[in-house]
Amino acid sequence: MTDCLFCKIIRGELPSRKVYEDEDVVAFWDIAPLAPVHVLTIPKKHIQSAMELGDEDGELLAKLHHGIREVARATGIAESGFRIISNVGFDGQQTVPHLHFHVIGGRELDWNA
Ligand code: AMP
Ligand code: ZN
């Protein structure tokens, strides 16, 4: 058992507003949204960041991007567009050490978010 924040959300020990879930992937609304749509798409497997992905995770990455497309459709931003961001490490300002893809949209974004 890990005390990782997102692993706790996956196990249902912390609440979340889920947008999408399948066997390997879960997506839920960010608690501090930067835009009208801000959803985090994460693997159920604990992987610290994109730097910890291995060759064996290719299928999982494809599934994560499938989840992202489902999130875009469910939140109504598939046509208008959106941004996918995965922060890595200190300089990337990653605050939760469990791989996640921010899916941000619902308004025209500037490059700073
Ligand atoms: P990052 O800074 O890239 O590691 O992103 C972590 C994100 O997780 C931030 O956008 C936070 O607002 C978000 N976050 C932190 N705690 C929660 C939570 N309990 N439920 C949903 N989102 C969270
Ligand atoms: Zn975790």
Side-chain angles (χ1 to χ4, degrees):
M1 294 286 261
T2 153
D3 62 3
C4 162
L5 182 72
F6 287 172
C7 283
K8 284 185 177 169
I9 286 177
I10 291 161
R11 292 196 300 263
E13 294 166 16
L14 286 175
S16 69
R17 287 171 58 212
K18 286 203 185 90
V19 179
Y20 174 77
E21 182 168 16
D22 64 29
E23 200 183 353
D24 302 300
V25 173
V26 61
F28 52 90
W29 288 89
D30 196 292
I31 205 169
L34 298 173
V37 174
H38 188 167
V39 172
L40 304 172
T41 303
I42 73 174
K44 288 187 175 175
K45 173 183 171 186
H46 180 86
I47 298 171
Q48 191 168 322
S49 77
M51 280 306 294
E52 309 299 321
L53 283 163
D55 292 340
E56 70 281 5
D57 293 315
E59 194 179 334
L60 179 58
L61 262 178
K63 287 181 169 179
L64 282 160
H65 281 269
H66 172 265
I68 287 168
R69 292 192 295 279
E70 293 290 333
V71 166
R73 290 184 193 109
T75 57
I77 60 172
E79 303 301 326
S80 51
F82 54 94
R83 187 169 292 154
I84 303 166
I85 299 172
S86 190
N87 295 322
V88 179
F90 183 83
D91 278 358
Q93 300 195 353
Q94 181 181 5
T95 59
V96 179
H98 182 126
L99 176 68
H100 50 282
F101 294 92
H102 298 257
V103 179
I104 299 173
R107 65 166 165 82
E108 193 173 341
L109 302 170
D110 60 45
W111 186 236
N112 295 320

